[in-house]
């Protein structure tokens, strides 16, 4: 039953390992395209974006000057929070995938801000088969990310922040969910009234350590890619137009196993040798937001610049509207994101309530 999938993940052939990774994790990020193109790595769900606003702007928000932005993009943005904010987001994806966000952010004292969020991603209706290829049942996967972020403004032009994220992946009921802890650090500099620059390092120390002993498997470690982001934002037309851009340098550690024959006094012996190597990936993002009316914002962006050719791009468009309800400020946002390679559309909606 389920043990076939997990055994293939930790002890089967290379082909089965790749298949299991795609089923368990990679499908959350992009369906049936190649693993590199679709970012089908560990914790891929946590790199799709956070809310309709961020996705519509191509996720180029590391230096976002907005007073209210998800701390996932940079915890150093939290001190700019205008007030207490509760938001909920949901994305409609193809290939039986799902993605939801819950977030709370608030100012803390005169110079600080705090944020708490929960992200869930899953894949449903996975066709489960045994080692003979006979269909056995329908499987599903779930992944969660619980984050606590804090930021402080040390000067009018300088803010620093950090985020602790607890990741959890639940693939099969026979094995306990695996957990990992990641650390983000960010800094933001307000260079001029119009120009803001920022940098962030994300998912330091984050990894999953699998143990499939309950079903006769082995152990395996999957490390999250460490991402270094540098970007800026610039305001035009009395701040009605915002331009954003950033560059991300991504480092991923991989292990490669190979057979080695050693000549000993007792004769030749075959041993398995494990080598570690580092993969580097460079990509860019751009976004623009225009406010034609006080209650309306139009947004657009492009993610994954420099990844493969134009088929690897992730363009997006969206809008946001706001409406006051008594003392409450209600904002609704929508984003349509074209996924790379498979060219299906991710529809994301966000509702924000300012208390």
């Amino acid at each position: 039953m389920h043990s076939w999938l997990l055994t293939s993940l930790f002890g089967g052939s290379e082909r089965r390992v790749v298949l299991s990774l795609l089923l368990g994790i990679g499908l959350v990020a992009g369906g049936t395209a190649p693993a590199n193109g679709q970012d089908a790595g560990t914790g891929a769900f946590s790199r799709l974006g956070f809310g309709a606003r961020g996705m519509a702007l191509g996720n180029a928000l590391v230096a976002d000057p907005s007073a209210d932005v998800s701390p996932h993009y940079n915890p150093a943005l939290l001190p700019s929070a205008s007030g207490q904010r509760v938001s909920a987001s949901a994305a409609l994806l193809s290939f039986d995938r799902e993605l939801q966000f819950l977030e709370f952010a608030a100012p803390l004292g005169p110079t600080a801000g705090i944020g708490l969020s929960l992200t869930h991603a899953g894949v449903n209706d996975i066709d489960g088969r045994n080692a003979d290829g006979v269909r056995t049942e329908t499987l599903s996967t779930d992944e969660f990310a619980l984050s606590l972020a804090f930021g402080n403004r040390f000067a009018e032009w300088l803010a620093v922040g950090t985020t602790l994220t607890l990741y959890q992946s639940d693939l099969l009921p026979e094995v306990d969910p695996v957990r990992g802890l990641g650390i983000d650090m960010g800094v933001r500099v307000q260079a001029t009234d119009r120009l803001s620059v920022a940098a962030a390092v994300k998912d330091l120390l984050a990894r999953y350590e699998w143990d499939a002993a309950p079903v006769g498997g082995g152990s395996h470690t999957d490390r999250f890619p460490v991402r270094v982001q540098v970007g800026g934002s610039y305001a035009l037309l009395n701040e009605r137009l915002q331009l954003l851009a950033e560059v991300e340098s991504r480092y991923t550690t991989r292990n490669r196993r190979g057979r080695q024959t050693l000549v000993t006094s007792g004769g030749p012996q075959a041993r398995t040798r494990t080598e570690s190597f580092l993969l580097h990936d460079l990509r860019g993002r751009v976004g623009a937001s225009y406010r034609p009316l006080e209650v309306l914002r139009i947004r657009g962006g492009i993610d994954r610049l420099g990844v493969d050719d134009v088929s690897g791009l992730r363009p997006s468009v969206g809008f946001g509207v706001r409406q006051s309800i008594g003392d409450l400020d209600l904002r609704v946002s929508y984003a349509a994101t074209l996924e790379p390679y498979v060219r299906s559309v991710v529809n994301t909606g966000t509702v924000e309530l300012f208390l």
Side-chain angles (χ1 to χ4, degrees):
M1 300 292 183
H2 291 299
S3 61
W4 169 80
L5 179 60
L6 200 57
T7 301
S8 65
L9 177 60
F10 297 111
S13 66
E14 181 179 353
R15 181 180 178 183
R16 287 186 174 181
V17 170
V18 174
L19 176 61
S20 298
L21 287 173
L22 287 174
L23 289 176
I25 301 172
L27 282 176
V28 178
T32 60
N36 272 345
Q38 289 299 76
D39 191 17
T42 308
F45 77 101
S46 65
R47 298 186 290 274
L48 285 176
F50 301 93
R53 181 176 180 273
M55 291 186 176
L57 291 171
N59 292 317
L61 276 67
V62 69
D64 188 0
S66 172
D68 302 292
V69 60
S70 173
H72 284 282
Y73 292 104
N74 188 347
L77 304 175
L78 276 170
S80 300
S82 61
Q84 295 183 359
R85 174 176 60 91
V86 178
S87 66
S89 304
L92 299 178
L93 300 95
S94 58
F95 305 110
D96 300 310
R97 296 166 296 160
E98 57 181 278
L99 186 64
Q100 302 96 23
F101 311 93
L102 287 175
E103 189 172 274
F104 172 77
L108 193 64
T111 62
I114 191 171
L116 180 66
S117 66
L118 175 65
T119 303
H120 167 257
V123 185
N124 298 310
D125 296 329
I126 298 175
D127 192 12
R129 297 176 181 270
N130 61 20
D132 297 323
V134 178
R135 188 180 186 280
T136 57
E137 57 191 305
T138 299
L139 307 177
S140 64
T141 69
D142 290 286
E143 289 200 86
F144 299 89
L146 179 63
S147 298
L148 176 63
F150 174 80
N152 188 62
R153 186 172 59 250
F154 292 93
E156 288 299 321
W157 55 273
L158 176 64
V160 177
T162 186
T163 302
L164 298 178
T165 302
L166 178 64
Y167 295 101
Q168 175 174 302
S169 181
D170 188 2
L171 293 184
L172 295 173
E174 288 90 344
V175 177
D176 292 336
V178 64
R179 298 180 180 89
L181 180 66
I183 302 175
D184 299 350
M185 295 184 292
V187 59
R188 179 193 175 204
V189 175
Q190 190 68 40
T192 69
D193 291 342
R194 295 184 176 185
L195 176 64
S196 175
V197 294
V201 181
K202 299 183 177 179
D203 285 331
L204 291 170
L205 307 179
R207 61 184 180 182
Y208 287 150
E209 294 185 346
W210 302 93
D211 181 9
V215 291
S219 60
H220 183 75
T221 299
D222 286 326
R223 294 177 176 84
F224 285 56
V226 175
R227 296 169 289 148
V228 180
Q229 299 172 339
V230 179
S233 64
Y234 193 75
L236 297 168
L237 304 178
N238 293 325
E239 298 187 354
R240 288 192 301 154
L241 175 63
Q242 297 282 351
L243 303 178
L244 306 103
E246 70 177 62
V247 176
E248 176 182 295
S249 191
R250 182 176 298 187
Y251 302 90
T252 307
T253 301
R254 290 285 186 264
N255 293 327
R256 177 169 51 199
R257 294 183 179 180
R259 302 289 292 180
Q260 182 182 30
T261 301
L262 299 179
V263 179
T264 66
S265 59
Q269 293 184 359
R271 295 183 181 179
T272 301
R273 184 179 64 178
T274 301
E275 296 179 337
S276 296
F277 57 96
L278 189 66
L279 299 178
H280 177 245
D281 176 17
L282 189 67
R283 63 186 64 194
R285 304 181 180 94
V286 295
S289 174
Y290 179 65
R291 189 182 73 239
L293 303 172
E294 192 63 31
V295 297
L296 174 65
R297 289 185 181 271
I298 300 173
R299 302 164 180 143
I302 302 177
D303 197 352
R304 297 171 53 87
L305 290 168
V307 178
D308 297 333
D309 52 23
V310 293
S311 62
L313 297 177
R314 183 183 285 146
S316 55
V317 294
F319 65 88
V321 295
R322 59 185 301 177
Q323 176 66 48
S324 297
I325 305 177
D327 294 333
L328 301 178
D329 183 11
L330 177 66
R331 302 183 189 181
V332 179
S333 299
Y334 167 78
T337 305
L338 187 62
E339 293 193 88
Y341 305 106
V342 294
R343 291 313 182 199
S344 61
V345 177
V346 178
N347 296 283
T348 307
T350 299
V351 177
E352 298 177 282
L353 186 62
F354 291 77
L355 307 177

